[in-house]
Amino acid sequence: AQTVTQSQPEMSVQEAETVTLSCTYDTSESDYYLFWYKQPPSRQMILVIRQEAYKQQNATENRFSVNFQKAAKSFSLKISDSQLGDAAMYFCAYRRGMYSGGGADGLTFGKGTHLIIQP
Amino acid sequence: NAGVTQTPKFQVLKTGQSMTLQCAQDMNHNSMYWYRQDPGMGLRLIYYSASEGTTDKGEVPNGYNVSRLNKREFSLRLESAAPSQTSVYFCASTTRRARRDEQFFGPGTRLTVL
């Protein structure tokens, strides 16, 4: 079974600085997707960014980018120019792809990293 | 569009009581999911429904049953609630054509079992 590990329970960063959240995963599949979800105090789960395993190019969404190291099974999230609104729990998640038999699979989540933004 | 809606938002039960958590989506999605989130943990999959008429167990199905009532609605039932089922429950939905393969989540139901 696949596992997702987030080794940083909490991170703190100054506003406008850059922070990197770590995630490692374990899978024997070749086709899969990786995600970062944000959960603010409202509890709403919000998709931040997504990476397809077969794509070598790292995904980028505005101030958010990932460093996807497939061989090392590492998927870190970089937040540039941190803003107060970025304060939240961040969850790394994995899902098998269709070609690995995971067409409608649910997500496997890590335990999360609590990101604090210092003004 | 309301997206994914869940009822109730909060519930307190006594051990042994039963209840059903309701979930509905208005995005015409094929697949629906139930997760639970415990303190200090990520979400864990309880059950999912790949399409109308099908349901499958996830990582933590014991003590739960589900019904995919139609394409819009997917309910989660606790037949005999236990304190270990105290959690926040999230429903989610998606479709193969969803941009970024995104699962859309409801606001959650906070359940306390005394």
PDB file of all heavy atoms in Angstrom, chain B residues 24-43:
ATOM      1  N   ALA B  24     -24.345  15.616  -0.936  1.00  0.00           N
ATOM      2  CA  ALA B  24     -24.886  15.805  -2.275  1.00  0.00           C
ATOM      3  C   ALA B  24     -23.968  16.731  -3.068  1.00  0.00           C
ATOM      4  O   ALA B  24     -23.368  17.650  -2.502  1.00  0.00           O
ATOM      5  CB  ALA B  24     -26.291  16.381  -2.211  1.00  0.00           C
ATOM      6  N   GLN B  25     -23.878  16.456  -4.376  1.00  0.00           N
ATOM      7  CA  GLN B  25     -23.087  17.334  -5.252  1.00  0.00           C
ATOM      8  C   GLN B  25     -23.911  17.666  -6.493  1.00  0.00           C
ATOM      9  O   GLN B  25     -24.682  16.836  -6.980  1.00  0.00           O
ATOM     10  CB  GLN B  25     -21.741  16.686  -5.627  1.00  0.00           C
ATOM     11  CG  GLN B  25     -21.820  15.282  -6.192  1.00  0.00           C
ATOM     12  CD  GLN B  25     -21.966  15.187  -7.674  1.00  0.00           C
ATOM     13  OE1 GLN B  25     -21.851  16.187  -8.400  1.00  0.00           O
ATOM     14  NE2 GLN B  25     -22.227  13.978  -8.163  1.00  0.00           N
ATOM     15  N   ASP B  26     -23.736  18.897  -6.970  1.00  0.00           N
ATOM     16  CA  ASP B  26     -24.512  19.357  -8.131  1.00  0.00           C
ATOM     17  C   ASP B  26     -23.620  19.619  -9.339  1.00  0.00           C
ATOM     18  O   ASP B  26     -23.945  20.433 -10.200  1.00  0.00           O
ATOM     19  CB  ASP B  26     -25.314  20.604  -7.762  1.00  0.00           C
ATOM     20  CG  ASP B  26     -24.437  21.777  -7.357  1.00  0.00           C
ATOM     21  OD1 ASP B  26     -23.192  21.630  -7.364  1.00  0.00           O
ATOM     22  OD2 ASP B  26     -25.001  22.831  -7.025  1.00  0.00           O
ATOM     23  N   MET B  27     -22.472  18.929  -9.401  1.00  0.00           N
ATOM     24  CA  MET B  27     -21.509  19.142 -10.486  1.00  0.00           C
ATOM     25  C   MET B  27     -21.530  18.005 -11.510  1.00  0.00           C
ATOM     26  O   MET B  27     -20.654  17.944 -12.372  1.00  0.00           O
ATOM     27  CB  MET B  27     -20.106  19.304  -9.873  1.00  0.00           C
ATOM     28  CG  MET B  27     -19.994  20.533  -8.993  1.00  0.00           C
ATOM     29  SD  MET B  27     -18.419  20.648  -8.107  1.00  0.00           S
ATOM     30  CE  MET B  27     -18.694  19.457  -6.808  1.00  0.00           C
ATOM     31  N   ASN B  28     -22.494  17.107 -11.379  1.00  0.00           N
ATOM     32  CA  ASN B  28     -22.623  15.979 -12.300  1.00  0.00           C
ATOM     33  C   ASN B  28     -21.389  15.069 -12.273  1.00  0.00           C
ATOM     34  O   ASN B  28     -21.020  14.481 -13.285  1.00  0.00           O
ATOM     35  CB  ASN B  28     -22.886  16.454 -13.734  1.00  0.00           C
ATOM     36  CG  ASN B  28     -23.521  15.372 -14.582  1.00  0.00           C
ATOM     37  OD1 ASN B  28     -24.320  14.566 -14.102  1.00  0.00           O
ATOM     38  ND2 ASN B  28     -23.175  15.341 -15.863  1.00  0.00           N
ATOM     39  N   HIS B  29     -20.766  14.967 -11.106  1.00  0.00           N
ATOM     40  CA  HIS B  29     -19.578  14.120 -10.974  1.00  0.00           C
ATOM     41  C   HIS B  29     -19.960  12.657 -10.850  1.00  0.00           C
ATOM     42  O   HIS B  29     -20.976  12.314 -10.241  1.00  0.00           O
ATOM     43  CB  HIS B  29     -18.773  14.537  -9.746  1.00  0.00           C
ATOM     44  CG  HIS B  29     -18.034  15.814  -9.931  1.00  0.00           C
ATOM     45  ND1 HIS B  29     -17.402  16.463  -8.894  1.00  0.00           N
ATOM     46  CD2 HIS B  29     -17.812  16.563 -11.040  1.00  0.00           C
ATOM     47  CE1 HIS B  29     -16.816  17.560  -9.364  1.00  0.00           C
ATOM     48  NE2 HIS B  29     -17.055  17.644 -10.656  1.00  0.00           N
ATOM     49  N   ASN B  30     -19.114  11.792 -11.397  1.00  0.00           N
ATOM     50  CA  ASN B  30     -19.359  10.360 -11.314  1.00  0.00           C
ATOM     51  C   ASN B  30     -18.929   9.766  -9.979  1.00  0.00           C
ATOM     52  O   ASN B  30     -19.578   8.886  -9.434  1.00  0.00           O
ATOM     53  CB  ASN B  30     -18.617   9.620 -12.424  1.00  0.00           C
ATOM     54  CG  ASN B  30     -19.191   9.939 -13.791  1.00  0.00           C
ATOM     55  OD1 ASN B  30     -20.401  10.037 -13.952  1.00  0.00           O
ATOM     56  ND2 ASN B  30     -18.333  10.087 -14.769  1.00  0.00           N
ATOM     57  N   SER B  31     -17.783  10.203  -9.466  1.00  0.00           N
ATOM     58  CA  SER B  31     -17.167   9.564  -8.305  1.00  0.00           C
ATOM     59  C   SER B  31     -17.361  10.400  -7.047  1.00  0.00           C
ATOM     60  O   SER B  31     -17.237  11.617  -7.069  1.00  0.00           O
ATOM     61  CB  SER B  31     -15.669   9.358  -8.553  1.00  0.00           C
ATOM     62  OG  SER B  31     -15.463   8.622  -9.744  1.00  0.00           O
ATOM     63  N   MET B  32     -17.650   9.675  -5.939  1.00  0.00           N
ATOM     64  CA  MET B  32     -17.845  10.343  -4.657  1.00  0.00           C
ATOM     65  C   MET B  32     -17.125   9.575  -3.565  1.00  0.00           C
ATOM     66  O   MET B  32     -16.910   8.356  -3.685  1.00  0.00           O
ATOM     67  CB  MET B  32     -19.341  10.479  -4.349  1.00  0.00           C
ATOM     68  CG  MET B  32     -20.079  11.329  -5.367  1.00  0.00           C
ATOM     69  SD  MET B  32     -21.808  11.633  -4.984  1.00  0.00           S
ATOM     70  CE  MET B  32     -21.663  12.804  -3.609  1.00  0.00           C
ATOM     71  N   TYR B  33     -16.768  10.276  -2.489  1.00  0.00           N
ATOM     72  CA  TYR B  33     -15.872   9.719  -1.471  1.00  0.00           C
ATOM     73  C   TYR B  33     -16.287  10.186  -0.080  1.00  0.00           C
ATOM     74  O   TYR B  33     -16.808  11.288   0.085  1.00  0.00           O
ATOM     75  CB  TYR B  33     -14.433  10.220  -1.711  1.00  0.00           C
ATOM     76  CG  TYR B  33     -13.932   9.970  -3.118  1.00  0.00           C
ATOM     77  CD1 TYR B  33     -14.261  10.836  -4.150  1.00  0.00           C
ATOM     78  CD2 TYR B  33     -13.153   8.854  -3.409  1.00  0.00           C
ATOM     79  CE1 TYR B  33     -13.818  10.607  -5.446  1.00  0.00           C
ATOM     80  CE2 TYR B  33     -12.705   8.617  -4.691  1.00  0.00           C
ATOM     81  CZ  TYR B  33     -13.045   9.491  -5.701  1.00  0.00           C
ATOM     82  OH  TYR B  33     -12.606   9.251  -6.981  1.00  0.00           O
ATOM     83  N   TRP B  34     -16.012   9.346   0.907  1.00  0.00           N
ATOM     84  CA  TRP B  34     -16.123   9.732   2.309  1.00  0.00           C
ATOM     85  C   TRP B  34     -14.766   9.547   2.981  1.00  0.00           C
ATOM     86  O   TRP B  34     -14.156   8.477   2.892  1.00  0.00           O
ATOM     87  CB  TRP B  34     -17.160   8.887   3.043  1.00  0.00           C
ATOM     88  CG  TRP B  34     -18.560   9.360   2.873  1.00  0.00           C
ATOM     89  CD1 TRP B  34     -19.545   8.808   2.117  1.00  0.00           C
ATOM     90  CD2 TRP B  34     -19.148  10.508   3.503  1.00  0.00           C
ATOM     91  NE1 TRP B  34     -20.695   9.544   2.218  1.00  0.00           N
ATOM     92  CE2 TRP B  34     -20.487  10.585   3.072  1.00  0.00           C
ATOM     93  CE3 TRP B  34     -18.679  11.478   4.403  1.00  0.00           C
ATOM     94  CZ2 TRP B  34     -21.355  11.594   3.489  1.00  0.00           C
ATOM     95  CZ3 TRP B  34     -19.541  12.476   4.817  1.00  0.00           C
ATOM     96  CH2 TRP B  34     -20.864  12.521   4.369  1.00  0.00           C
ATOM     97  N   TYR B  35     -14.328  10.621   3.668  1.00  0.00           N
ATOM     98  CA  TYR B  35     -13.082  10.597   4.438  1.00  0.00           C
ATOM     99  C   TYR B  35     -13.380  10.964   5.881  1.00  0.00           C
ATOM    100  O   TYR B  35     -14.358  11.645   6.172  1.00  0.00           O
ATOM    101  CB  TYR B  35     -12.091  11.647   3.910  1.00  0.00           C
ATOM    102  CG  TYR B  35     -11.589  11.446   2.504  1.00  0.00           C
ATOM    103  CD1 TYR B  35     -12.278  11.979   1.422  1.00  0.00           C
ATOM    104  CD2 TYR B  35     -10.404  10.759   2.261  1.00  0.00           C
ATOM    105  CE1 TYR B  35     -11.798  11.827   0.121  1.00  0.00           C
ATOM    106  CE2 TYR B  35      -9.914  10.602   0.968  1.00  0.00           C
ATOM    107  CZ  TYR B  35     -10.622  11.140  -0.089  1.00  0.00           C
ATOM    108  OH  TYR B  35     -10.139  10.984  -1.364  1.00  0.00           O
ATOM    109  N   ARG B  36     -12.480  10.569   6.770  1.00  0.00           N
ATOM    110  CA  ARG B  36     -12.527  11.053   8.136  1.00  0.00           C
ATOM    111  C   ARG B  36     -11.185  11.706   8.477  1.00  0.00           C
ATOM    112  O   ARG B  36     -10.129  11.286   7.959  1.00  0.00           O
ATOM    113  CB  ARG B  36     -12.858   9.955   9.150  1.00  0.00           C
ATOM    114  CG  ARG B  36     -11.906   8.806   9.199  1.00  0.00           C
ATOM    115  CD  ARG B  36     -12.291   7.791  10.296  1.00  0.00           C
ATOM    116  NE  ARG B  36     -12.032   8.299  11.642  1.00  0.00           N
ATOM    117  CZ  ARG B  36     -12.412   7.677  12.757  1.00  0.00           C
ATOM    118  NH1 ARG B  36     -13.053   6.524  12.694  1.00  0.00           N
ATOM    119  NH2 ARG B  36     -12.133   8.204  13.940  1.00  0.00           N
ATOM    120  N   GLN B  37     -11.244  12.732   9.318  1.00  0.00           N
ATOM    121  CA  GLN B  37     -10.025  13.422   9.730  1.00  0.00           C
ATOM    122  C   GLN B  37      -9.975  13.483  11.253  1.00  0.00           C
ATOM    123  O   GLN B  37     -10.829  14.098  11.880  1.00  0.00           O
ATOM    124  CB  GLN B  37      -9.961  14.852   9.163  1.00  0.00           C
ATOM    125  CG  GLN B  37      -8.672  15.578   9.521  1.00  0.00           C
ATOM    126  CD  GLN B  37      -8.582  16.959   8.919  1.00  0.00           C
ATOM    127  OE1 GLN B  37      -9.578  17.601   8.614  1.00  0.00           O
ATOM    128  NE2 GLN B  37      -7.362  17.452   8.722  1.00  0.00           N
ATOM    129  N   ASP B  38      -8.983  12.837  11.823  1.00  0.00           N
ATOM    130  CA  ASP B  38      -8.771  12.840  13.265  1.00  0.00           C
ATOM    131  C   ASP B  38      -7.659  13.830  13.608  1.00  0.00           C
ATOM    132  O   ASP B  38      -6.812  14.134  12.761  1.00  0.00           O
ATOM    133  CB  ASP B  38      -8.403  11.432  13.728  1.00  0.00           C
ATOM    134  CG  ASP B  38      -9.489  10.437  13.392  1.00  0.00           C
ATOM    135  OD1 ASP B  38     -10.655  10.728  13.703  1.00  0.00           O
ATOM    136  OD2 ASP B  38      -9.194   9.385  12.789  1.00  0.00           O
ATOM    137  N   PRO B  39      -7.629  14.323  14.862  1.00  0.00           N
ATOM    138  CA  PRO B  39      -6.607  15.307  15.247  1.00  0.00           C
ATOM    139  C   PRO B  39      -5.205  14.800  14.944  1.00  0.00           C
ATOM    140  O   PRO B  39      -4.862  13.657  15.260  1.00  0.00           O
ATOM    141  CB  PRO B  39      -6.848  15.463  16.754  1.00  0.00           C
ATOM    142  CG  PRO B  39      -8.288  15.132  16.939  1.00  0.00           C
ATOM    143  CD  PRO B  39      -8.588  14.052  15.937  1.00  0.00           C
ATOM    144  N   GLY B  40      -4.401  15.655  14.331  1.00  0.00           N
ATOM    145  CA  GLY B  40      -3.020  15.293  14.029  1.00  0.00           C
ATOM    146  C   GLY B  40      -2.865  14.325  12.880  1.00  0.00           C
ATOM    147  O   GLY B  40      -1.774  13.802  12.648  1.00  0.00           O
ATOM    148  N   MET B  41      -3.939  14.065  12.167  1.00  0.00           N
ATOM    149  CA  MET B  41      -3.891  13.112  11.060  1.00  0.00           C
ATOM    150  C   MET B  41      -4.379  13.780   9.779  1.00  0.00           C
ATOM    151  O   MET B  41      -5.155  14.725   9.815  1.00  0.00           O
ATOM    152  CB  MET B  41      -4.816  11.919  11.354  1.00  0.00           C
ATOM    153  CG  MET B  41      -4.493  11.180  12.615  1.00  0.00           C
ATOM    154  SD  MET B  41      -3.088  10.103  12.405  1.00  0.00           S
ATOM    155  CE  MET B  41      -3.800   8.822  11.377  1.00  0.00           C
ATOM    156  N   GLY B  42      -3.941  13.215   8.681  1.00  0.00           N
ATOM    157  CA  GLY B  42      -4.536  13.619   7.414  1.00  0.00           C
ATOM    158  C   GLY B  42      -5.871  12.931   7.246  1.00  0.00           C
ATOM    159  O   GLY B  42      -6.313  12.166   8.104  1.00  0.00           O
ATOM    160  N   LEU B  43      -6.514  13.190   6.134  1.00  0.00           N
ATOM    161  CA  LEU B  43      -7.782  12.537   5.861  1.00  0.00           C
ATOM    162  C   LEU B  43      -7.527  11.076   5.487  1.00  0.00           C
ATOM    163  O   LEU B  43      -6.550  10.771   4.792  1.00  0.00           O
ATOM    164  CB  LEU B  43      -8.514  13.244   4.715  1.00  0.00           C
ATOM    165  CG  LEU B  43      -9.238  14.533   5.058  1.00  0.00           C
ATOM    166  CD1 LEU B  43      -8.274  15.638   5.407  1.00  0.00           C
ATOM    167  CD2 LEU B  43     -10.123  14.948   3.885  1.00  0.00           C
TER     168      LEU B  43
END
